[in-house]
Amino acid sequence: MSLIIALVSCKVKNTNAFLKENTTAQDSSYYTIVSYGFPNSERLALMEMISEKWKIKYIEAAGCEVTEELIDNADVENKKTYAAIEKKYGKDWREKYEKDLEDAAMKQADIMDILITNKTFRVQLKKCNIEIDGIYKDVKQLKGSAIYETTIYGYDEENKRINCCTVWVDTKERTIKI
């Protein structure tokens, strides 16, 4: 299964498409960083968790197979973006960003602990035909609170996504609301 995911993740994308996407800002309040190479899906999920706080979004220009031109173009765009981020957040923004990623990883574990120990949540998973060890989730913190909007999904035998539910997890009170 990992091999299949790796092969699908490594397909070549249009090498110039990212420049058009990068310059056509969907929300100009976000900084856009261009990525390429084999994607680290766990890190991407953590970056998505803190994207609202940092106003940083990532776009994927290519998978594993990249050209020198694509790398050079992405690096030029990213240098401009990094300079703008540094201007807003300071020279030590990368260290702060990495610390927030570490904190997000701990929050992910905390959220998962709250979910799997909640009986109501486990009943909901059964209704969706998702095993407890087959949970995937998209997590978004609600405006500086201890509440995280968590979209739960899984995959069937044909690798089609099964959307299950959206849950609001309160990490302070250790409760959920479905």
Side-chain angles (χ1 to χ4, degrees):
M1 186 61 140
S2 296
L3 179 61
I4 292 170
I5 292 171
L7 291 174
V8 171
S9 297
C10 289
K11 68 181 180 184
V12 178
K13 292 189 175 189
N14 181 341
T15 59
N16 293 319
F18 81 92
L19 286 177
K20 181 178 178 188
E21 185 176 346
N22 197 29
T23 56
T24 309
Q26 296 168 352
D27 182 348
S28 60
S29 66
Y30 282 83
Y31 299 100
T32 303
I33 297 174
V34 180
S35 66
Y36 51 84
F38 188 76
N40 179 338
S41 58
E42 289 177 25
R43 185 171 171 85
L44 288 171
L46 296 174
M47 290 186 298
E48 184 62 31
M49 262 182 87
I50 66 170
S51 69
E52 193 63 32
K53 175 182 178 181
W54 283 88
K55 300 296 186 190
I56 296 175
K57 293 282 185 178
Y58 289 81
I59 60 168
E60 185 180 339
C64 298
E65 297 179 32
V66 296
T67 65
E68 199 62 41
E69 177 187 13
L70 180 130
I71 292 170
D72 292 342
N73 289 337
D75 289 347
V76 166
E77 290 298 314
N78 287 340
K79 282 181 185 178
K80 294 176 197 173
T81 303
Y82 295 146
I85 294 170
E86 185 175 306
K87 186 176 180 180
K88 180 171 183 175
Y89 296 115
K91 291 186 185 261
D92 63 344
W93 76 270
R94 289 179 199 252
E95 290 83 13
K96 293 175 188 173
Y97 187 80
E98 289 299 321
K99 171 78 170 86
D100 281 354
L101 286 176
E102 288 175 19
D103 293 347
M106 296 302 292
K107 239 358 130 178
Q108 281 273 28
D110 196 28
I111 289 167
M112 195 62 185
D113 182 54
I114 293 166
L115 289 173
I116 65 174
T117 58
N118 185 285
K119 290 180 183 179
T120 306
F121 177 72
R122 292 176 80 91
V123 168
Q124 183 65 36
L125 279 182
K126 283 188 180 190
K127 289 179 186 175
C128 298
N129 293 321
I130 298 175
E131 296 292 326
I132 197 76
D133 60 350
I135 296 173
Y136 292 87
K137 61 191 177 314
D138 294 328
V139 179
K140 182 170 49 173
Q141 185 176 16
L142 300 183
K143 293 254 181 181
S145 72
I147 299 174
Y148 292 80
E149 181 180 276
T150 308
T151 303
I152 306 297
Y153 60 97
Y155 290 93
D156 65 13
E157 303 81 36
E158 296 171 1
N159 210 25
K160 291 183 184 172
R161 182 174 164 149
I162 303 168
N163 292 319
C164 183
C165 60
T166 298
V167 179
W168 290 266
V169 180
D170 185 330
T171 55
K172 185 176 180 182
E173 299 296 322
R174 302 196 60 78
T175 59
I176 70 165
K177 179 180 174 186
I178 295 181

